[in-house]
Amino acid sequence: MAELSTTGSVTRLGSTQRQDSWWIEILPVIMVMGGFSVYATLRALEGKFYEWGPYISPFYSPLIDANHHWWPFSPAILILGGPLGFRATCYYYRKALYRAFLFDPPACAVSEPSGRKYSGETAFPFVLQNLHRYFFYLAVLFLCFLWYDAVLAFFFPEGFGIGVGSLVMLVNVVLLSTYTFSCHSLRHLVGGKLDCFSCTAFGPPRHSAWRVVSFLNERHMLWAWMSLFSVGLTDLYIRLVSSGYLKDIRIL
Ligand code: FES
C-alpha cells in the first residue's frame, strides 16, 4: 500500500530522490550476516570438532558439561546467548540490521514500507535493545575466558610452542577486545556522559580512558566486522584441524 509523503507525493518502499546506488550498502550486510548466522547456528548445534590440543573454538568457550552429565545437547547452546545478545543489541549492528533485514528504512532518505507505526525502540520487542549495557558486562566476562584460552593455546603437551592455531586464537581475541572496548555503552560509562572531567572524581584518569575508548569507538564498525570474521574463521580453523582436514603447522 502506498502513502503520501510530506510533499504530497506517493511514497513506496525504496522510493527516494537519491541518485547514488544506496542499496549497495545493504547487500554485504545481508550476505555476511545471513551467512554467518547460518554457519554459527550449524556449528553451535554440531556439538563436536570444537577442540584440538590446546585449541578451543570461541563458539564453545567456556566449555560447560562437555561430557553430557546433565546437558544432553551441544555445550555451545548453553553459552550462545551471551555473545549473541551483545552483538544483536550493539548500536552499530542495530542500524545495519534494521536497514538490511527490516528495510526500516533501507537507507538514509529512502522510504520504508508504508503503513508502519513508528515507535522507535520504546515498544516490545525492540525495547529489549536497552539491555545492551548489561550485555557489555557479560561480554567482558566472555573476553576473560577467551584470553585465557588464547594463552593456553601456546602450551602444548610437550611445552611452550607456537602453532598457526595459537596465532589465529590470539588475533581473534585481540579483535574481539577492540570490538568490546570500542562499545558506545563503555564510552558513556567512562566519560561520555560527563560535561566536565576536571569537576568530577578521578577526572584525569577518566579523561585518559575516555580518549582511548573514543579512539576505538570511532572505528567501532570496523572492529565489529573484523571481529565477526575472526570468530567465524577461528572456529572454522579449529574445526578443520580437529576433524583431520587440516594439519596445524607448528612454527616454534
Ligand atoms: S555499541 Fe556495539 S558493542 Fe556496544
Side-chain angles (χ1 to χ4, degrees):
M1 182 175 63
E3 65 179 13
L4 290 178
S5 73
T6 52
T7 60
S9 58
V10 174
T11 63
R12 289 185 178 80
L13 170 63
S15 64
T16 180
Q17 293 184 348
R18 285 178 61 169
Q19 302 293 314
D20 61 326
S21 305
W22 55 265
W23 42 269
I24 282 186
E25 196 181 317
I26 62 175
L27 284 183
V29 178
I30 293 174
M31 289 190 294
V32 174
M33 287 306 292
F36 181 84
S37 303
V38 171
Y39 175 79
T41 304
L42 292 177
R43 277 295 286 142
L45 294 176
E46 189 175 21
K48 57 183 180 179
F49 301 132
Y50 52 77
E51 57 183 348
W52 181 86
Y55 307 157
I56 180 167
S57 160
F59 288 163
Y60 285 80
S61 178
L63 190 56
I64 300 173
D65 196 32
N67 295 322
H68 303 294
H69 293 303
W70 55 270
W71 178 252
F73 308 109
S74 164
I77 298 173
L78 289 170
I79 59 161
L80 204 59
L84 185 67
F86 186 54
R87 293 240 176 210
T89 58
C90 163
Y91 288 86
Y92 165 66
Y93 280 120
R94 272 141 80 169
K95 182 193 86 171
L97 298 178
Y98 289 169
R99 288 184 175 186
F101 291 97
L102 301 180
F103 305 125
D104 196 13
C108 284
V110 178
S111 291
E112 60 191 35
S114 59
R116 279 190 183 164
K117 184 172 169 296
Y118 182 74
S119 57
E121 293 178 333
T122 59
F124 185 82
F126 297 112
V127 70
L128 296 178
Q129 302 283 29
N130 289 304
L131 293 175
H132 184 64
R133 72 199 75 169
Y134 304 109
F135 275 117
F136 168 77
Y137 299 122
L138 205 52
V140 172
L141 183 65
F142 273 86
L143 214 45
C144 294
F145 287 115
L146 293 174
W147 269 106
Y148 178 72
D149 294 339
V151 171
L152 285 190
F154 288 85
F155 293 90
F156 296 84
E158 57 275 22
F160 179 81
I162 302 176
V164 171
S166 318
L167 300 178
V168 166
M169 289 183 64
L170 183 62
V171 170
N172 179 48
V173 76
V174 168
L175 288 173
L176 283 171
S177 300
T178 54
Y179 172 57
T180 305
F181 292 115
S182 63
C183 173
H184 294 275
S185 293
L186 176 64
R187 185 171 179 272
H188 178 77
L189 198 66
V190 296
K193 60 186 175 186
L194 295 177
D195 291 329
C196 172
F197 280 99
S198 58
C199 319
T200 190
F202 308 108
R206 284 187 77 174
H207 185 245
S208 303
W210 173 78
R211 283 175 58 117
V212 172
V213 175
S214 296
F215 174 82
L216 293 172
N217 181 255
E218 285 168 17
R219 295 152 185 83
H220 190 57
M221 182 180 80
L222 176 71
W223 308 129
W225 286 113
M226 288 183 70
S227 61
L228 189 81
F229 279 113
S230 78
V231 169
L233 291 175
T234 302
D235 173 79
L236 180 63
Y237 181 83
I238 292 170
R239 193 200 183 284
L240 292 176
V241 171
S242 172
S243 57
Y245 279 102
L246 205 64
K247 184 171 164 36
D248 183 58
I249 297 174
R250 189 73 60 84
I251 300 167
L252 189 73

